[in-house]
Amino acid sequence: MSLPNGDPSRRDSNDINPFSKAEIYYGDTSAALRKDARNRTFSQIVDATKSSNVQEVRNQHRRSSLDASGQQPRKFLIPVESTLKELLAQEDSDHNCQITIDDKGPKVLQLGTAPSQGYNRVDVRGTYMLSNLLQELTMAQDYGRKQVILDESRLNENPVDRLARFIRDTFWENLTRCIDGANIAMVAKDPKDWTSDPRPRVYVPHGAPEQYEYYTEIARKHPKIRLDVQWLSPNVTPDYVRDLNVAPGLLAIAMDKVEDKNGETTLKGKPFIVPGGRFNELYGWDSYMASLGLLIHDRVDLCKSMVENFVFCIQHYGKILNANRSYYLGRSQPPFLTDMTLRVYDRIRNEPDAHEFLRLGLLAAMKEYFGIWTADPRLDEETGLSRYRPMGVGVPPETESTHFKHVLDPYAAKHGITFEEFVKGYNAKKINEPDLDVYFLHDRAVRESGHDTSYRLENVAADLATVDLNSCLYKIECDLAKTIRNFLGDELAVPEEFRAPGQASFHTSAMWDRRAKKRRLAMDEYMWDEENGMYFDYNTAKKETTQYESVTCFWAMWSGVATPRQAASMVIKSLPKLEELGGLASGTEKSRGPVGINRPNRQWDFPFGWAPQQILAWQGLERYGYHEEAKRTAYKWIYMCTKAFVDFNGVVVEKYNVTNHKEPHKVAAEYGNQGSDFKGVPREGFGWVNASYIVALDIVDTHMKRALGALTEWETFARVTRDLDVYTYANKEGWGESQPPSGEVTPESEKLDKHPTGLFHEGMPAGHVVHGHGLEHLAHSHGGSARRQAEQEKEMAKEH
């Protein structure tokens, strides 16, 4: 609405920001303001008794019959329910309450303009705008709106901005959970509970009696929810965990003491982020990955709370659990606690409790390090390297009852009993099948790795010292050494509750420096392959590397375990093998091998790409100065995610097919895909994909973001910018023209082959890159000045 001076760039004070959160845009305040603004006449706005205002009125142009308003975006007046029905009936040809490129409708709908009170009609065209219309009307319906004034700018919004906005304003909130009396009946329900009487149940460790008292009182006051409150045994054995499977439940996590409305002290759960889809608990490495995006969005409070939940888990359960369900008591997930703690500490260091937060996070990480990752059975004594090797008995209960049917049917036939009878007898150890014991040993290890499942790990996982796990442990060792030295006076006392068996009561930085050095030497000896320029998993049983080409090799760059020379070799030799249209694949097609009816594809293998692998690879590349490679691979990931978002009604899913140009979110492997089953509007996305999108946007520059907003493929962007002499980018097969064609490590780089240790590259000169790779060539290329200007623009944008 223009002000009396006729300036269309200025908006009436009653106008709502068109990109506000749904609760603001469609809430009661918005409705009142918009209704008031629409009903007021011009004479109500201008005081006609003043001659100056009367003259301004006379100078106003009459509104044309077509509602012309210069360059100002249009507004539509829309009856919500009838328009929704018309839109879905006309455009949703497959009847899934989404409008995608798969639908066969005419892809055009007329909407009435707001200034004409809906009389004048305007065409809204194309899948993207129509699917956005469906999303907006669904959200309006959520807030009980019968009629809305909708800004056209919400329908044709830059898709990169729209997805980033959804993540910030909607997805994080809808993925946030806490566990306490207000919602225990809902959050304790488990879609993976296959027992005959599923009911909300919580197990409380003996070290938290106040929680047992609290939940018992909740159960007493609200008998209808049938909450079952149980003490967890202090002696958790594989047999005990198996016996809990007849009554699975939540495991209690951290709570805060607060005052209720009556001024009495009570407990309130600490919030956390869940992955999404059917994964509705506090997960290990999912939470770390989510925190990387949350921190960019300044949700430090939520990240801090998740660290505190992990400290509680290690205190009472000995480890960060796969997730806080009883059947996960025996296994963990890849450990990232020190990095997560330090990132949060860096944002809260001026708060009163920051030092104690840091101390507790490090103590918890140390307890898990000694009690889980470097203890029997996970530690391989001969190499000094660690493996995923969790305890357990029988068939994993969280899977669907028929998940292992193809494996167990032959054994049931062998014993002449039914499938159900065999599972019951085998779990109770009444049936002895050593080969099956080995199978499930490896299966549990695959699940602990977080990479369930992959042919890289199948039937061998428990014997593998993996690159990913040992890179994480190296990072923990370096983080502890640096933090104890620089922040804790070079000595950290370990209280009894954080002390694993055999652990010293005092720790110094030198102890952790020695551990890091020892692990790096072991990884060099057993995992590094000079000829292939890649780290490989090491089979501790066969005493050989697996030669499976996996993107987890870049975890060695993320953690800093690789030397600059090794990093250069990986970028030259390994990166091209794994880089695809939509980013990095989990592994190579060659390593995966042929797939078919008898050998189906696994979801953590080629051609699928996962957000954690992208993030750690980007950070690893940036750590060693390969900023262009990081930007390129981040660009490809953003492009793929954005294209699926545009073409398929805002979808954001757990994983993607990075080789599929048209529909990368459609993954036909094992468990399908989480995040695509929604009606009308996406509500959650998927935790670590949300984070990866935000992290990637923090890596690419302004020119890239503009190109991505126009859905420009990487090859097109690289070609155009090269032709315009704006950039010199490395490509998948090789390097920019200013790069040495051989890609060999030079004698100069050999002299600089000094290993970076610790969180901040100790031992590596600031800004150092291996000669002939990374950013060095840009300073001498014809596009260097434009590059520097673009980077300066990016930094200025961040400051403002």
Side-chain angles (χ1 to χ4, degrees):
M1 177 177 183
S2 298
L3 290 177
N5 62 11
D7 180 3
S9 67
R10 297 181 60 192
R11 300 174 67 85
D12 187 275
S13 61
N14 283 328
D15 274 348
I16 300 295
N17 184 332
F19 304 118
S20 297
K21 292 182 179 181
E23 62 195 59
I24 297 173
Y25 194 82
Y26 294 116
D28 293 337
T29 302
S30 168
L33 287 175
R34 287 170 178 267
K35 181 178 179 180
D36 181 56
R38 189 174 70 251
N39 288 342
R40 289 158 62 195
T41 65
F42 201 79
S43 60
Q44 289 177 300
I45 299 173
V46 180
D47 186 352
T49 63
K50 296 182 179 180
S51 60
S52 60
N53 285 342
V54 171
Q55 185 62 41
E56 286 180 350
V57 172
R58 290 172 179 169
N59 291 336
Q60 296 297 313
H61 295 290
R62 287 179 60 85
R63 188 174 63 194
S64 72
S65 60
L66 295 178
D67 297 314
S69 58
Q71 298 299 314
Q72 191 169 356
R74 284 179 294 213
K75 296 175 183 289
F76 300 115
L77 180 63
I78 305 176
V80 174
E81 186 175 351
S82 61
T83 305
L84 260 178
K85 288 182 178 179
E86 180 185 4
L87 178 64
L88 289 171
Q90 176 179 295
E91 302 292 345
D92 181 22
S93 60
D94 55 8
H95 307 295
N96 64 348
C97 290
Q98 297 178 17
I99 297 174
T100 73
I101 60 173
D102 289 341
D103 288 306
K104 307 303 181 183
K107 299 295 172 71
V108 59
L109 188 76
Q110 287 197 333
L111 297 178
T113 62
S116 72
Q117 296 291 305
Y119 179 79
N120 293 327
R121 312 286 286 179
V122 174
D123 285 348
V124 173
R125 295 179 177 274
T127 298
Y128 181 58
M129 289 188 69
L130 290 172
S131 67
N132 286 350
L133 176 61
L134 173 60
Q135 295 166 36
E136 295 298 331
L137 294 182
T138 302
M139 288 187 285
Q141 198 172 55
D142 291 343
Y143 287 90
R145 298 295 298 277
K146 303 298 183 183
Q147 180 174 272
V148 293
I149 296 177
L150 179 64
D151 288 88
E152 185 180 29
S153 51
R154 281 179 86 93
L155 301 183
N156 58 17
E157 183 179 2
N158 180 309
V160 173
D161 293 342
R162 184 175 178 87
L163 178 48
R165 181 170 64 84
F166 268 42
I167 293 169
R168 183 194 65 222
D169 295 344
T170 303
F171 292 173
W172 291 138
E173 292 301 321
N174 289 337
L175 288 172
T176 301
R177 305 284 189 276
C178 68
I179 301 173
D180 54 34
N183 59 11
I184 187 67
M186 178 182 68
V187 299
K189 289 181 179 178
D190 186 2
K192 300 180 289 295
D193 182 352
W194 313 112
T195 61
S196 59
D197 182 27
R199 59 184 293 191
R201 183 177 291 107
V202 60
Y203 288 94
V204 181
H206 278 265
E210 70 286 354
Q211 289 203 34
Y212 185 85
E213 180 181 343
Y214 170 80
Y215 284 119
T216 301
E217 182 66 9
I218 294 295
R220 186 188 67 78
K221 288 183 177 179
H222 305 281
K224 289 185 178 180
I225 68 175
R226 301 177 65 234
L227 177 63
D228 184 16
V229 185
Q230 296 285 339
W231 283 112
L232 186 73
S233 171
N235 184 28
V236 176
T237 65
D239 287 348
Y240 173 74
V241 176
R242 175 205 59 201
D243 293 343
L244 290 182
N245 292 337
V246 298
L250 273 177
L251 298 172
I253 54 178
M255 303 185 80
D256 286 321
K257 289 184 178 180
V258 297
E259 285 191 359
D260 62 18
K261 60 184 179 181
N262 298 319
E264 297 181 357
T265 300
T266 186
L267 298 179
K268 181 176 178 58
K270 286 184 179 291
F272 57 92
I273 289 287
V274 300
R278 65 190 180 96
F279 305 109
N280 206 34
E281 302 86 21
L282 174 68
Y283 278 77
W285 72 320
D286 293 78
S287 299
Y288 167 75
M289 296 299 166
S291 74
L292 300 177
L294 288 164
L295 287 172
I296 294 174
H297 281 155
D298 295 323
R299 294 301 311 273
V300 183
D301 56 329
L302 193 48
C303 298
K304 180 183 178 183
S305 175
M306 290 194 289
V307 170
E308 291 167 340
N309 274 316
F310 288 148
V311 170
F312 181 95
C313 288
I314 292 173
Q315 277 185 292
H316 298 284
Y317 309 125
K319 64 180 76 67
I320 294 176
L321 301 163
N322 187 150
N324 64 316
R325 293 282 181 184
S326 57
Y327 40 75
Y328 291 137
L329 274 165
R331 67 177 187 255
S332 186
Q333 279 194 326
F336 292 93
L337 183 57
T338 55
D339 191 75
M340 189 174 179
T341 300
L342 288 169
R343 288 176 184 273
V344 174
Y345 174 75
D346 189 55
R347 302 288 294 273
I348 66 167
R349 61 174 64 219
N350 294 322
E351 295 181 7
D353 65 340
H355 186 273
E356 181 65 4
F357 169 85
L358 177 64
R359 188 183 74 89
L360 291 176
L362 299 185
L363 287 171
M366 288 167 57
K367 180 177 181 179
E368 185 183 49
Y369 175 92
F370 285 111
I372 299 297
W373 300 115
T374 59
D376 184 64
R378 291 173 177 84
L379 178 65
D380 178 58
E381 295 284 355
E382 182 176 337
T383 62
L385 298 171
S386 296
R387 306 163 294 193
Y388 298 112
R389 204 177 175 94
M391 66 179 189
V393 173
V395 181
E398 74 273 16
T399 58
E400 292 85 350
S401 59
T402 59
H403 182 79
F404 293 105
K405 201 170 191 314
H406 66 291
V407 175
L408 301 179
D409 270 345
Y411 290 94
K414 170 185 171 182
H415 289 272
I417 55 180
T418 66
F419 170 81
E420 291 76 13
E421 290 171 336
F422 177 81
V423 171
K424 185 176 180 179
Y426 175 71
N427 286 347
K429 296 184 178 179
K430 295 179 179 179
I431 298 176
N432 183 31
E433 288 290 351
D435 290 344
L436 205 53
D437 294 343
V438 173
Y439 173 86
F440 282 116
L441 170 69
H442 293 307
D443 179 82
R444 285 189 294 272
V446 172
R447 297 173 189 279
E448 183 170 74
S449 77
H451 295 76
D452 47 324
T453 63
S454 164
Y455 287 120
R456 173 172 76 99
L457 304 172
E458 191 167 288
N459 296 320
V460 72
D463 291 332
L464 293 186
T466 64
V467 177
D468 38 290
L469 175 56
N470 285 279
S471 294
C472 285
L473 295 178
Y474 177 82
K475 181 70 161 58
I476 288 171
E477 292 156 352
C478 292
D479 288 348
L480 288 169
K482 181 176 180 63
T483 309
I484 291 173
R485 179 167 54 249
N486 294 344
F487 296 97
L488 300 175
D490 210 14
E491 184 175 85
L492 177 60
V494 184
E496 186 67 32
E497 64 267 25
F498 284 105
R499 204 177 303 161
Q503 183 181 350
S505 58
F506 286 90
H507 286 256
T508 64
S509 62
M511 297 167 59
W512 290 99
D513 281 331
R514 288 193 296 271
R515 285 183 169 273
K517 182 178 180 180
K518 182 179 178 182
R519 188 173 303 276
R520 178 175 65 87
L521 292 173
M523 292 181 70
D524 280 348
E525 178 180 356
Y526 296 106
M527 295 178 168
W528 175 248
D529 187 311
E530 184 69 31
E531 180 180 354
N532 289 289
M534 184 176 282
Y535 287 89
F536 290 104
D537 300 330
Y538 181 77
N539 190 314
T540 59
K542 295 183 177 179
K543 303 187 187 307
E544 63 185 21
T545 56
T546 64
Q547 297 299 300
Y548 191 105
E549 296 168 329
S550 170
V551 72
T552 53
C553 68
F554 290 104
W555 292 35
M557 291 177 66
W558 165 81
S559 68
V561 73
T563 65
R565 185 180 183 280
Q566 289 169 325
S569 184
M570 292 172 69
V571 171
I572 295 166
K573 298 178 180 179
S574 298
L575 186 60
K577 295 179 181 178
L578 295 158
E579 189 174 344
E580 299 292 342
L581 173 73
L584 300 174
S586 295
T588 63
E589 186 174 13
K590 173 185 173 183
S591 291
R592 181 205 63 186
V595 294
I597 295 177
N598 296 321
R599 192 176 186 268
N601 216 342
R602 301 302 190 203
Q603 63 176 1
W604 282 91
D605 289 330
F606 179 91
F608 307 121
W610 292 73
Q613 311 293 28
Q614 316 299 317
I615 295 173
L616 298 185
W618 301 332
Q619 293 182 348
L621 289 166
E622 289 203 307
R623 179 172 190 153
Y624 288 82
Y626 295 98
H627 300 289
E628 300 313 312
E629 289 76 10
K631 287 182 178 181
R632 183 183 71 242
T633 50
Y635 184 106
K636 290 183 172 183
W637 180 258
I638 297 172
Y639 170 80
M640 178 192 63
C641 294
T642 307
K643 191 169 191 310
F645 179 81
V646 167
D647 290 344
F648 291 92
N649 208 106
V651 72
V652 177
V653 290
E654 178 189 28
K655 54 187 174 288
Y656 292 86
N657 182 337
V658 294
T659 68
N660 188 328
H661 174 82
K662 183 180 179 182
E663 42 191 24
H665 68 295
K666 294 186 178 180
V667 174
E670 298 180 292
Y671 308 106
N673 222 345
Q674 299 293 312
S676 60
D677 185 18
F678 59 86
K679 304 297 183 184
V681 61
R683 307 286 185 175
E684 301 177 338
F686 198 86
W688 58 26
V689 176
N690 300 343
S692 71
Y693 198 82
I694 302 306
V695 171
L697 286 176
D698 214 39
I699 293 173
V700 299
D701 58 41
T702 303
H703 294 293
M704 291 176 164
K705 290 177 184 175
R706 290 171 181 163
L708 286 163
L711 285 183
T712 305
E713 291 186 7
W714 167 257
E715 288 72 15
T716 302
F717 175 77
R719 183 181 67 254
V720 170
T721 51
R722 183 180 62 244
D723 292 343
L724 294 174
D725 289 348
V726 177
Y727 294 102
T728 302
Y729 279 114
N731 56 42
K732 177 181 175 182
E733 289 73 23
W735 305 95
E737 293 179 359
S738 57
Q739 292 285 1
S742 65
E744 295 179 355
V745 179
T746 66
E748 289 84 355
S749 70
E750 291 278 12
K751 296 176 184 177
L752 291 170
D753 195 9
K754 185 176 182 181
H755 177 69
T757 59
L759 185 63
F760 302 105
H761 300 238
E762 289 183 355
M764 178 184 283
H768 164 69
V769 294
V770 180
H771 179 70
H773 303 288
L775 282 181
E776 185 182 34
H777 71 286
L778 289 172
H780 307 290
S781 71
H782 46 259
S785 60
R787 153 85 47 210
R788 288 189 292 274
Q789 181 181 357
E791 290 299 320
Q792 290 170 359
E793 290 175 358
K794 181 179 179 182
E795 290 304 316
M796 291 176 63
K798 285 184 178 179
E799 291 175 3
H800 292 287

